[in-house]
Amino acid sequence: MFAVTSLQPFIAVGVTLAVFVILQVRRGTPTDWLFLIALMIVTLSGILTPEEALRGFANQAMLTVAALLAVTAGLRATGVIDWIGRKLLGNVATEKQALGRLGPVLIASSAFLLNTAVVAMMMPVIIDWCRRRNVSPARLLLPLSYLAILGGVCTLIGTSTTLVANGVLRVEYEKWMAKSSAGLSEQEAARLAEYVESVRPMPLFELGYVGIPAALVGMTFMIFVGPRLLPRTRDILNQLGEQRREYLVEMMVRPDCPLIGQTIEAAGLRHLPGLFLIEIDRAGEIITPVTPADVIYANDRFVFTGVVSTIVDLEKIPGLVPAADLNYEVQPQQRQQRHLTEVVLSRTSPLIGATVREANFRQRYNAAVVAVHRNGVRLTNKIGSIRLEAGDTLLLQTRTDFVGNYRDSRDFYLVSSVEGAAPRRHDKMRLAAGLGVLLIAWLIITSLLKGTTVAVGFSSPAIAAITIAMLMVGTRCLTISDARNALDLQTLLTIAGALGLGLALQNSGAAESIARFLVNQVGPHPYVLLIAMYLLALVFTETITNNAVAAMLLPIAMAVAWEAGYNPRPFIMAITLAASLSFLTPVGYQANLMVMGPGGYKPIDYIKCGGPLAAIVAVTALILIPLIWPF
């Protein structure tokens, strides 16, 4: 099959084991760096040619992941994700209702968007809802991760792991298609043809035959049993609430604001975390105290006291803008060039003693005052009337070069940007949502037309995702710089390195040797082999990156099937599912790691809730796989 020296299998296995061990012993080791080093070692050892080593960087799986990350960034930048959050949890009152609402939506969305991207998009929405309802985020963030992971196995494009697995299948399929049946007996030629057909790449919905039932079983468990196993950790930010800076902010309701006609309660302005609505100024009439039943009208001015993070959230609501500066940019095209900055006034500032209105920030600094904080004093005046003092902290809307221009200015003690304050392009929301729907429809239609005369270019998930990402940039739903920043380079390099390492196990003959060992030790019974391969992938994916597990174990699984004379399809599905379903540790899957800090979780929390979930999902998968893809 390959020109293999006696040492190459040992080098390939040794390098692979070294990667596993280092990831366990040195948790902080960058996975991309480690896999690239491993890739260079197996290449310099002659196991891979330079062309084979670099093939992973042009793999369709990696390119699809990159493009989908950019598409997701476009949906976030235009406010589509914020809108989804308001629609999803806006009027939900209890934790059980929230889980019931989140379950089907997360599974459906994760089936077509990368589940790690879905978790990143939904985390702020869920944390915000938890603070409003005085619910610990620990009650919902781990279910968020688990439900997104479950949704990811309903289609081919729900998780990067399935895309990587399909990339491996495509390479294997092309390799076996190139084999000649010349010189083979009729029986051997028939077996070769059956094997080639069984290692074909997966269409969009094939994995869903098992993935959807497993996801439904897992969702039922998370809604009805999971809450009993989750911790009740207090929100860290709530514990520090009294120590955070409180600003006075005045917001104006523009005539195009979607909140007009709603009550304060229905609009979600009643229970904002760390924010208190002091009064409403309606054409000179002061409404205070504000009741939940008060209706919102155009040109109302709301006076709040609150923290920066919630003020940032207020700015994300279309048609609700700070009223301290009549020239405040309200057009999305103009606001894209600005963001929020915090400054502290120095004793030598020329602004001391002037009111905010008199200070004329627009002319002096090309900036607009959004909010004011005075340490130890709760400000209750209108912002324009506040007389500035040394030490006052101001929240400004500034040009992007403001921090660099005024960092060393004597006017300010401190100048710093506010994270997460990028303005939304609400004028592009419908366009971005339409492009997202177009991508989903494209992927579904091409999957249904697979094998017909449809143009080959249109049937590629990578081409579809890249095209939509380019349209996001071309229509200004997303800037080029934001599209570049959306690319998770560590994930992409890890995928490329893992694909090369998996190919090294194959080229060196190590995969076949391991397969023979498994067949000899476990026995020839196909169902026992299937369970062994599933558990092997499950253990590996809980300890190292899931993409690497799929890339390295799939060649072994296919070799097991060839060695034992079985259909490789059930083994392929078992590896793909097990590598995609990580519930037992925070390091097994990026989504689990993402919620660990905000949820205040400990590793034992993953075992308590994820252990039973992993067991019932595994049982469901192992029952269905042989029924759908017989041995």
Side-chain angles (χ1 to χ4, degrees), residues 321-406:
V321 299
D325 186 339
L326 294 178
N327 295 315
Y328 186 89
E329 272 86 355
V330 295
Q331 296 301 320
Q333 296 92 328
Q334 297 170 332
R335 292 198 60 211
Q336 279 298 107
Q337 303 171 19
R338 292 182 172 269
H339 64 275
L340 294 182
T341 303
E342 284 184 295
V343 299
V344 180
L345 297 183
S346 70
R347 294 187 180 276
T348 59
S349 174
L351 307 175
I352 303 301
T355 65
V356 170
R357 188 174 294 110
E358 294 167 349
N360 201 353
F361 276 82
R362 175 73 54 180
Q363 193 169 34
R364 286 177 182 267
Y365 306 109
N366 194 13
V369 178
V370 174
V372 180
H373 163 78
R374 182 165 294 159
N375 191 34
V377 178
R378 173 165 282 191
L379 299 170
T380 56
N381 296 330
K382 295 294 180 62
I383 290 183
S385 305
I386 294 174
R387 202 162 292 278
L388 298 172
E389 299 178 3
D392 283 352
T393 304
L394 309 180
L395 191 64
L396 305 178
Q397 187 205 41
T398 67
R399 291 281 181 180
T400 53
D401 58 357
F402 181 89
V403 174
N405 292 341
Y406 293 98

Coordinates of all heavy atoms in Angstrom, one line a residue, residues 321-406:
V321 N -31.3 55.8 21.6 CA -29.9 56.4 21.5 C -29.7 57.4 22.7 O -30.7 57.9 23.3 CB -29.8 57.2 20.2 CG1 -29.9 56.2 19.0 CG2 -30.8 58.3 20.1
P322 N -28.4 57.6 23.1 CA -28.1 58.5 24.2 C -28.6 59.9 23.7 O -28.4 60.3 22.6 CB -26.6 58.4 24.3 CG -26.3 57.1 23.8 CD -27.3 56.8 22.7
A323 N -29.1 60.7 24.7 CA -29.7 62.0 24.4 C -28.9 63.1 24.9 O -29.3 64.3 24.8 CB -31.1 62.1 25.0
A324 N -27.7 62.9 25.4 CA -26.9 64.0 25.9 C -26.3 64.9 24.9 O -26.0 66.0 25.1 CB -25.7 63.4 26.7
D325 N -26.2 64.4 23.6 CA -25.7 65.2 22.5 C -26.7 65.1 21.4 O -27.0 64.1 20.8 CB -24.3 64.6 22.1 CG -23.6 65.4 21.0 OD1 -24.3 66.2 20.3 OD2 -22.4 65.3 20.9
L326 N -27.2 66.3 21.0 CA -28.2 66.3 19.9 C -27.7 65.9 18.6 O -28.4 65.5 17.7 CB -28.8 67.7 19.8 CG -29.7 68.2 21.0 CD1 -30.1 69.6 20.8 CD2 -30.8 67.3 21.3
N327 N -26.3 66.0 18.5 CA -25.7 65.6 17.2 C -25.2 64.1 17.2 O -24.4 63.7 16.4 CB -24.5 66.5 16.9 CG -25.0 67.9 16.7 OD1 -26.0 68.1 15.9 ND2 -24.3 68.9 17.3
Y328 N -25.6 63.4 18.2 CA -25.2 62.0 18.4 C -25.5 61.2 17.1 O -26.6 61.3 16.5 CB -25.9 61.3 19.5 CG -25.5 59.9 19.9 CD1 -24.5 59.7 20.8 CD2 -26.1 58.8 19.3 CE1 -24.0 58.5 21.2 CE2 -25.7 57.6 19.6 CZ -24.7 57.4 20.6 OH -24.3 56.1 20.9
E329 N -24.5 60.4 16.6 CA -24.7 59.7 15.4 C -25.7 58.6 15.6 O -25.6 57.7 16.4 CB -23.4 59.0 15.0 CG -22.5 59.9 14.1 CD -21.6 60.8 14.9 OE1 -21.7 60.8 16.2 OE2 -20.8 61.5 14.4
V330 N -26.8 58.7 14.8 CA -27.8 57.7 14.8 C -27.8 56.8 13.6 O -28.4 55.8 13.5 CB -29.2 58.3 15.0 CG1 -29.3 59.0 16.4 CG2 -29.5 59.3 13.9
Q331 N -27.2 57.3 12.5 CA -27.1 56.5 11.3 C -26.1 55.4 11.4 O -24.9 55.6 11.8 CB -26.7 57.4 10.1 CG -27.7 58.5 9.8 CD -29.1 57.9 9.5 OE1 -29.2 56.9 8.8 NE2 -30.2 58.6 9.9
P332 N -26.5 54.2 11.1 CA -25.5 53.0 11.2 C -24.2 53.2 10.5 O -23.2 52.9 11.0 CB -26.3 51.9 10.7 CG -27.8 52.2 10.8 CD -27.8 53.7 10.6
Q333 N -24.3 53.9 9.3 CA -23.0 54.1 8.6 C -22.0 54.9 9.3 O -20.8 54.7 9.3 CB -23.3 54.7 7.2 CG -24.1 53.8 6.3 CD -25.6 54.1 6.5 OE1 -26.1 54.5 7.5 NE2 -26.4 53.9 5.4
Q334 N -22.6 56.0 10.0 CA -21.7 56.9 10.8 C -21.3 56.2 12.1 O -20.1 56.3 12.5 CB -22.5 58.1 11.2 CG -22.9 59.0 9.9 CD -23.9 60.1 10.3 OE1 -24.6 60.0 11.2 NE2 -23.8 61.1 9.5
R335 N -22.2 55.5 12.7 CA -21.9 54.9 14.0 C -20.8 53.8 13.9 O -20.1 53.5 14.9 CB -23.1 54.3 14.7 CG -24.1 55.4 15.1 CD -25.1 54.8 16.1 NE -24.5 54.4 17.3 CZ -24.9 53.3 18.0 NH1 -26.0 52.7 17.7 NH2 -24.2 52.9 19.1
Q336 N -20.7 53.2 12.7 CA -19.7 52.1 12.6 C -18.3 52.6 12.8 O -17.4 51.9 13.1 CB -19.8 51.5 11.1 CG -20.9 50.5 11.0 CD -20.7 49.3 11.8 OE1 -21.4 49.1 12.8 NE2 -19.7 48.5 11.5
Q337 N -18.1 54.0 12.6 CA -16.8 54.5 12.8 C -16.5 55.0 14.3 O -15.5 55.6 14.6 CB -16.6 55.8 11.9 CG -16.9 55.4 10.4 CD -16.9 56.7 9.6 OE1 -16.5 57.7 10.0 NE2 -17.5 56.5 8.4
R338 N -17.5 54.7 15.2 CA -17.4 55.1 16.5 C -17.6 54.0 17.5 O -18.2 53.0 17.2 CB -18.4 56.2 16.8 CG -18.1 57.5 16.1 CD -19.1 58.6 16.5 NE -18.7 59.9 15.9 CZ -17.9 60.8 16.6 NH1 -17.5 60.5 17.8 NH2 -17.6 61.9 16.0
H339 N -17.0 54.1 18.7 CA -17.3 53.1 19.8 C -17.2 53.8 21.1 O -16.9 55.0 21.2 CB -16.3 52.0 19.7 CG -14.9 52.3 19.9 ND1 -14.1 52.8 18.9 CD2 -14.1 52.3 21.0 CE1 -12.9 53.0 19.4 NE2 -12.9 52.8 20.7
L340 N -17.5 53.1 22.2 CA -17.6 53.7 23.5 C -16.2 53.7 24.2 O -15.4 52.7 24.1 CB -18.6 52.9 24.4 CG -20.0 53.0 24.0 CD1 -20.9 52.3 25.0 CD2 -20.5 54.5 23.9
T341 N -15.9 54.8 24.9 CA -14.6 55.0 25.5 C -14.9 55.6 26.9 O -15.7 56.5 27.1 CB -13.7 55.9 24.7 OG1 -13.5 55.4 23.4 CG2 -12.3 56.1 25.4
E342 N -14.1 55.1 27.9 CA -14.2 55.7 29.3 C -13.0 56.6 29.5 O -11.9 56.3 29.2 CB -14.2 54.6 30.3 CG -15.5 53.8 30.5 CD -15.5 52.8 31.6 OE1 -14.7 51.9 31.5 OE2 -16.2 53.0 32.6
V343 N -13.3 57.8 30.1 CA -12.2 58.7 30.4 C -12.5 59.2 31.8 O -13.6 59.4 32.3 CB -12.2 59.9 29.4 CG1 -11.9 59.5 28.0 CG2 -13.4 60.8 29.5
V344 N -11.4 59.6 32.5 CA -11.4 60.2 33.9 C -10.8 61.6 33.8 O -9.7 61.7 33.3 CB -10.7 59.3 34.9 CG1 -10.7 60.0 36.3 CG2 -11.2 57.9 34.9
L345 N -11.6 62.6 34.2 CA -11.1 64.0 34.1 C -10.0 64.2 35.1 O -10.1 63.9 36.2 CB -12.3 64.9 34.3 CG -13.5 64.9 33.3 CD1 -14.5 65.9 33.7 CD2 -13.0 65.1 31.9
S346 N -9.0 64.9 34.6 CA -7.9 65.3 35.5 C -8.1 66.6 36.1 O -9.0 67.4 35.7 CB -6.6 65.3 34.7 OG -6.6 66.4 33.8
R347 N -7.3 67.0 37.1 CA -7.5 68.3 37.8 C -7.1 69.4 36.9 O -7.6 70.6 37.0 CB -6.6 68.3 39.0 CG -7.0 67.4 40.1 CD -6.2 67.6 41.4 NE -6.6 66.7 42.4 CZ -7.7 66.8 43.2 NH1 -8.4 67.9 43.1 NH2 -8.0 66.0 44.2
T348 N -6.3 69.2 35.8 CA -5.9 70.3 34.9 C -6.8 70.3 33.7 O -6.5 71.1 32.7 CB -4.4 70.0 34.5 OG1 -4.3 68.8 33.9 CG2 -3.5 70.1 35.7
S349 N -7.9 69.5 33.7 CA -8.7 69.5 32.5 C -9.4 70.9 32.3 O -10.0 71.4 33.3 CB -9.8 68.4 32.6 OG -10.7 68.5 31.5
P350 N -9.5 71.4 31.1 CA -10.2 72.7 30.9 C -11.7 72.5 31.0 O -12.5 73.5 31.0 CB -9.8 73.0 29.5 CG -9.5 71.7 28.8 CD -8.9 70.9 29.9
L351 N -12.2 71.3 31.2 CA -13.6 71.0 31.3 C -14.2 71.2 32.8 O -15.4 71.3 33.0 CB -14.0 69.6 30.9 CG -13.4 69.2 29.5 CD1 -13.7 67.8 29.2 CD2 -14.1 70.1 28.4
I352 N -13.3 71.3 33.7 CA -13.7 71.4 35.1 C -14.5 72.6 35.4 O -14.1 73.7 35.0 CB -12.4 71.4 36.1 CG1 -11.6 70.1 35.9 CG2 -12.9 71.5 37.5 CD1 -12.4 68.8 36.1
G353 N -15.7 72.5 36.0 CA -16.5 73.6 36.3 C -17.6 73.9 35.2 O -18.5 74.6 35.5
A354 N -17.4 73.3 34.1 CA -18.4 73.5 33.0 C -19.4 72.4 33.1 O -19.2 71.3 33.5 CB -17.7 73.5 31.6
T355 N -20.6 72.7 32.6 CA -21.6 71.7 32.5 C -21.3 70.8 31.2 O -20.5 71.2 30.4 CB -23.1 72.2 32.3 OG1 -23.1 72.9 31.1 CG2 -23.4 73.2 33.5
V356 N -21.9 69.7 31.2 CA -21.7 68.8 30.0 C -22.1 69.5 28.7 O -21.4 69.4 27.7 CB -22.5 67.5 30.2 CG1 -22.5 66.7 28.9 CG2 -21.9 66.7 31.3
R357 N -23.2 70.3 28.8 CA -23.6 71.0 27.6 C -22.6 72.1 27.2 O -22.3 72.3 26.0 CB -25.0 71.6 27.8 CG -25.7 72.2 26.6 CD -27.1 72.6 26.9 NE -28.0 71.5 27.1 CZ -28.5 71.2 28.3 NH1 -28.2 72.0 29.4 NH2 -29.3 70.2 28.5
E358 N -22.1 72.8 28.2 CA -21.2 73.9 28.0 C -19.8 73.4 27.5 O -19.1 74.1 26.8 CB -21.0 74.7 29.2 CG -22.3 75.5 29.7 CD -22.1 76.1 31.1 OE1 -21.2 75.7 31.8 OE2 -23.0 76.9 31.5
A359 N -19.5 72.1 27.9 CA -18.1 71.6 27.6 C -17.9 71.4 26.1 O -16.8 71.4 25.6 CB -17.9 70.3 28.3
N360 N -19.0 71.2 25.4 CA -18.9 71.1 23.9 C -17.9 70.1 23.5 O -17.0 70.3 22.8 CB -18.6 72.5 23.3 CG -19.0 72.5 21.8 OD1 -19.4 71.5 21.3 ND2 -18.9 73.7 21.2
F361 N -18.2 68.8 23.9 CA -17.3 67.7 23.6 C -17.2 67.5 22.1 O -16.1 67.0 21.6 CB -17.8 66.4 24.2 CG -17.3 66.3 25.7 CD1 -18.0 66.9 26.7 CD2 -16.2 65.5 26.0 CE1 -17.6 66.8 28.0 CE2 -15.8 65.4 27.3 CZ -16.5 66.0 28.3
R362 N -18.3 67.8 21.4 CA -18.2 67.6 19.9 C -17.2 68.4 19.3 O -16.4 67.9 18.4 CB -19.6 67.9 19.4 CG -19.7 67.9 17.9 CD -19.7 66.4 17.4 NE -20.8 65.6 18.0 CZ -21.0 64.4 17.7 NH1 -20.2 63.7 16.9 NH2 -21.9 63.7 18.4
Q363 N -17.0 69.7 19.7 CA -16.1 70.6 19.0 C -14.7 70.3 19.5 O -13.7 70.3 18.8 CB -16.5 72.0 19.3 CG -15.7 73.0 18.4 CD -16.4 74.4 18.5 OE1 -16.8 74.8 19.6 NE2 -16.3 75.2 17.4
R364 N -14.5 70.0 20.8 CA -13.2 69.8 21.4 C -12.6 68.5 21.0 O -11.4 68.5 20.7 CB -13.3 69.9 23.0 CG -13.5 71.3 23.5 CD -13.6 71.1 25.1 NE -13.9 72.4 25.7 CZ -12.9 73.2 26.2 NH1 -11.7 72.8 26.1 NH2 -13.2 74.4 26.7
Y365 N -13.3 67.4 21.1 CA -12.8 66.1 21.0 C -13.4 65.2 19.9 O -13.1 64.1 19.8 CB -12.9 65.3 22.3 CG -12.3 66.1 23.5 CD1 -13.1 66.6 24.5 CD2 -10.9 66.2 23.6 CE1 -12.6 67.3 25.6 CE2 -10.4 66.9 24.7 CZ -11.2 67.5 25.7 OH -10.7 68.1 26.7
N366 N -14.4 65.8 19.2 CA -15.1 65.0 18.2 C -15.7 63.8 18.9 O -15.6 62.7 18.4 CB -14.3 64.6 17.0 CG -15.1 64.1 15.9 OD1 -16.3 64.3 15.8 ND2 -14.5 63.4 14.9
A367 N -16.3 64.0 20.1 CA -16.9 63.0 20.9 C -18.3 63.4 21.4 O -18.6 64.6 21.5 CB -16.0 62.6 22.0
A368 N -19.1 62.4 21.9 CA -20.4 62.7 22.5 C -20.4 62.1 23.8 O -20.0 60.9 24.0 CB -21.5 62.2 21.6
V369 N -21.0 62.8 24.8 CA -21.1 62.2 26.2 C -22.3 61.3 26.2 O -23.5 61.8 25.9 CB -21.3 63.4 27.2 CG1 -21.5 62.8 28.6 CG2 -20.0 64.3 27.2
V370 N -22.1 60.1 26.6 CA -23.2 59.1 26.7 C -23.7 59.1 28.2 O -24.9 59.0 28.5 CB -22.8 57.7 26.3 CG1 -23.9 56.7 26.5 CG2 -22.4 57.8 24.8
A371 N -22.7 59.0 29.1 CA -23.1 58.8 30.6 C -22.0 59.4 31.4 O -20.9 59.6 31.0 CB -23.3 57.3 30.9
V372 N -22.4 59.7 32.7 CA -21.4 60.3 33.7 C -21.5 59.5 35.0 O -22.6 59.1 35.4 CB -21.8 61.8 34.0 CG1 -20.9 62.4 34.9 CG2 -21.9 62.6 32.7
H373 N -20.3 59.3 35.6 CA -20.2 58.7 36.9 C -19.4 59.6 37.8 O -18.3 60.1 37.4 CB -19.5 57.3 36.8 CG -19.0 56.8 38.1 ND1 -19.8 56.2 39.0 CD2 -17.8 56.7 38.6 CE1 -19.1 55.8 40.1 NE2 -17.8 56.1 39.8
R374 N -19.8 59.7 39.1 CA -19.1 60.5 40.1 C -19.0 59.6 41.3 O -19.9 59.2 41.9 CB -19.8 61.8 40.4 CG -19.0 62.6 41.4 CD -19.6 64.1 41.5 NE -19.4 64.7 40.2 CZ -20.1 65.8 39.8 NH1 -21.1 66.3 40.5 NH2 -19.8 66.4 38.6
N375 N -17.7 59.2 41.6 CA -17.5 58.2 42.7 C -18.2 58.6 44.0 O -18.0 59.7 44.5 CB -16.0 58.1 42.9 CG -15.7 56.9 43.7 OD1 -16.3 55.9 43.7 ND2 -14.6 57.0 44.6
G376 N -19.0 57.7 44.5 CA -19.6 57.9 45.8 C -20.9 58.7 45.7 O -21.5 58.9 46.8
V377 N -21.2 59.2 44.6 CA -22.4 60.1 44.5 C -23.3 59.6 43.4 O -22.9 59.3 42.3 CB -22.0 61.6 44.1 CG1 -23.2 62.5 44.0 CG2 -21.0 62.1 45.2
R378 N -24.6 59.4 43.7 CA -25.6 59.0 42.7 C -26.2 60.3 42.1 O -26.9 61.0 42.7 CB -26.7 58.2 43.4 CG -27.8 57.9 42.4 CD -28.8 56.8 42.9 NE -28.2 55.5 42.6 CZ -28.8 54.3 42.8 NH1 -30.1 54.3 43.1 NH2 -28.2 53.2 42.6
L379 N -25.8 60.5 40.8 CA -26.2 61.7 40.1 C -27.7 61.5 39.7 O -28.1 60.5 39.2 CB -25.4 61.9 38.9 CG -23.9 62.1 39.2 CD1 -23.1 62.1 37.9 CD2 -23.6 63.4 39.9
T380 N -28.5 62.6 39.9 CA -29.9 62.6 39.5 C -30.3 63.7 38.6 O -31.5 63.8 38.3 CB -30.7 62.7 40.8 OG1 -30.4 63.8 41.5 CG2 -30.5 61.4 41.7
N381 N -29.4 64.5 38.2 CA -29.7 65.6 37.3 C -29.7 65.1 35.8 O -29.3 64.0 35.5 CB -28.7 66.7 37.3 CG -28.7 67.4 38.7 OD1 -29.7 67.5 39.4 ND2 -27.5 67.9 39.1
K382 N -30.3 65.9 34.9 CA -30.1 65.6 33.5 C -28.6 65.8 33.2 O -27.9 66.6 33.7 CB -30.9 66.6 32.7 CG -32.4 66.5 32.9 CD -32.9 65.2 32.4 CE -34.4 65.0 32.6 NZ -35.2 66.1 31.9
I383 N -28.2 64.9 32.3 CA -26.7 64.9 32.0 C -26.2 66.2 31.5 O -25.1 66.7 31.9 CB -26.4 63.8 31.0 CG1 -26.6 62.4 31.6 CG2 -25.0 63.9 30.4 CD1 -26.3 61.3 30.7
G384 N -27.0 66.9 30.6 CA -26.5 68.2 30.1 C -26.3 69.2 31.2 O -25.5 70.2 31.0
S385 N -27.0 69.1 32.3 CA -26.9 70.1 33.4 C -25.8 69.8 34.4 O -25.6 70.6 35.3 CB -28.2 70.3 34.1 OG -29.2 70.6 33.1
I386 N -25.2 68.6 34.3 CA -24.2 68.2 35.3 C -23.0 69.0 35.2 O -22.4 69.2 34.1 CB -23.9 66.7 35.2 CG1 -25.1 65.8 35.5 CG2 -22.7 66.3 36.1 CD1 -24.9 64.4 35.3
R387 N -22.5 69.6 36.3 CA -21.3 70.4 36.3 C -20.1 69.5 36.6 O -20.1 68.8 37.6 CB -21.3 71.6 37.3 CG -20.4 72.7 37.0 CD -20.8 74.0 37.8 NE -22.1 74.5 37.3 CZ -22.2 75.3 36.2 NH1 -21.1 75.6 35.5 NH2 -23.3 75.8 35.9
L388 N -19.1 69.5 35.7 CA -18.0 68.5 35.8 C -17.0 68.8 36.9 O -16.7 70.0 37.1 CB -17.3 68.4 34.4 CG -18.2 67.9 33.3 CD1 -17.5 68.1 31.9 CD2 -18.7 66.5 33.5
E389 N -16.5 67.7 37.5 CA -15.5 67.9 38.5 C -14.3 66.9 38.2 O -14.5 66.0 37.5 CB -16.1 67.5 39.9 CG -17.2 68.4 40.3 CD -17.8 67.9 41.7 OE1 -17.3 67.0 42.3 OE2 -18.8 68.5 42.1
A390 N -13.2 67.2 38.8 CA -12.0 66.4 38.7 C -12.3 65.0 39.2 O -12.9 64.9 40.3 CB -10.8 67.0 39.4
G391 N -11.9 64.0 38.5 CA -12.2 62.6 39.0 C -13.5 62.0 38.4 O -13.7 60.8 38.5
D392 N -14.3 62.8 37.7 CA -15.5 62.3 37.1 C -15.1 61.3 36.0 O -14.2 61.6 35.2 CB -16.4 63.4 36.5 CG -17.1 64.2 37.5 OD1 -17.1 63.8 38.7 OD2 -17.7 65.3 37.2
T393 N -15.9 60.2 35.9 CA -15.7 59.3 34.8 C -16.8 59.5 33.8 O -18.0 59.4 34.1 CB -15.7 57.8 35.3 OG1 -14.7 57.7 36.3 CG2 -15.4 56.8 34.2
L394 N -16.4 59.7 32.5 CA -17.3 59.9 31.5 C -17.3 58.7 30.5 O -16.2 58.2 30.2 CB -17.0 61.2 30.7 CG -16.8 62.5 31.6 CD1 -16.5 63.7 30.6 CD2 -18.1 62.7 32.4
L395 N -18.5 58.3 30.0 CA -18.6 57.4 29.0 C -18.9 58.1 27.7 O -19.9 58.8 27.6 CB -19.7 56.4 29.3 CG -19.9 55.1 28.4 CD1 -18.6 54.3 28.6 CD2 -21.1 54.4 28.8
L396 N -18.0 58.0 26.7 CA -18.0 58.9 25.5 C -18.2 58.0 24.3 O -17.7 56.8 24.2 CB -16.7 59.7 25.3 CG -16.3 60.6 26.5 CD1 -15.0 61.2 26.1 CD2 -17.4 61.6 26.8
Q397 N -18.9 58.5 23.3 CA -18.9 57.9 22.0 C -17.8 58.7 21.2 O -17.9 59.9 21.0 CB -20.3 58.1 21.3 CG -20.3 57.3 19.9 CD -21.3 58.0 19.0 OE1 -21.4 59.2 18.9 NE2 -22.1 57.1 18.3
T398 N -16.8 57.9 20.7 CA -15.6 58.5 20.1 C -15.3 57.9 18.8 O -15.8 56.8 18.5 CB -14.4 58.4 21.1 OG1 -14.0 57.0 21.1 CG2 -14.7 58.9 22.5
R399 N -14.4 58.6 18.1 CA -13.8 58.0 16.9 C -12.8 56.9 17.3 O -12.4 56.8 18.5 CB -13.1 59.0 16.1 CG -14.0 60.1 15.4 CD -14.6 59.5 14.2 NE -15.4 60.5 13.5 CZ -16.1 60.3 12.4 NH1 -16.0 59.1 11.8 NH2 -16.8 61.2 11.8
T400 N -12.5 56.0 16.4 CA -11.7 54.9 16.7 C -10.3 55.3 17.1 O -9.6 54.6 17.8 CB -11.6 53.9 15.6 OG1 -11.2 54.6 14.4 CG2 -12.9 53.2 15.3
D401 N -9.8 56.5 16.7 CA -8.4 56.9 17.0 C -8.4 57.8 18.3 O -7.3 58.3 18.6 CB -7.9 57.7 15.8 CG -8.7 59.0 15.5 OD1 -9.8 59.2 16.1 OD2 -8.3 59.7 14.6
F402 N -9.5 57.9 19.0 CA -9.5 58.7 20.2 C -8.5 58.3 21.3 O -7.8 59.1 21.8 CB -11.0 58.8 20.8 CG -11.1 59.7 22.0 CD1 -11.4 61.0 21.9 CD2 -10.9 59.2 23.3 CE1 -11.6 61.8 23.0 CE2 -11.1 60.0 24.4 CZ -11.4 61.3 24.2
V403 N -8.5 57.0 21.5 CA -7.7 56.4 22.6 C -6.2 56.7 22.3 O -5.5 57.2 23.2 CB -7.9 54.9 22.8 CG1 -6.9 54.3 23.8 CG2 -9.3 54.6 23.2
G404 N -5.8 56.5 21.1 CA -4.4 56.8 20.7 C -4.1 58.3 20.8 O -3.0 58.7 21.2
N405 N -5.0 59.1 20.4 CA -4.8 60.6 20.4 C -4.7 61.2 21.8 O -4.0 62.2 22.0 CB -5.8 61.3 19.5 CG -5.7 61.0 18.1 OD1 -4.6 60.5 17.6 ND2 -6.8 61.2 17.3
Y406 N -5.5 60.7 22.7 CA -5.7 61.4 24.0 C -5.2 60.5 25.2 O -5.4 60.9 26.3 CB -7.2 61.8 24.2 CG -7.6 62.8 23.3 CD1 -8.3 62.5 22.1 CD2 -7.3 64.2 23.5 CE1 -8.7 63.5 21.2 CE2 -7.7 65.2 22.6 CZ -8.4 64.8 21.5 OH -8.8 65.8 20.6

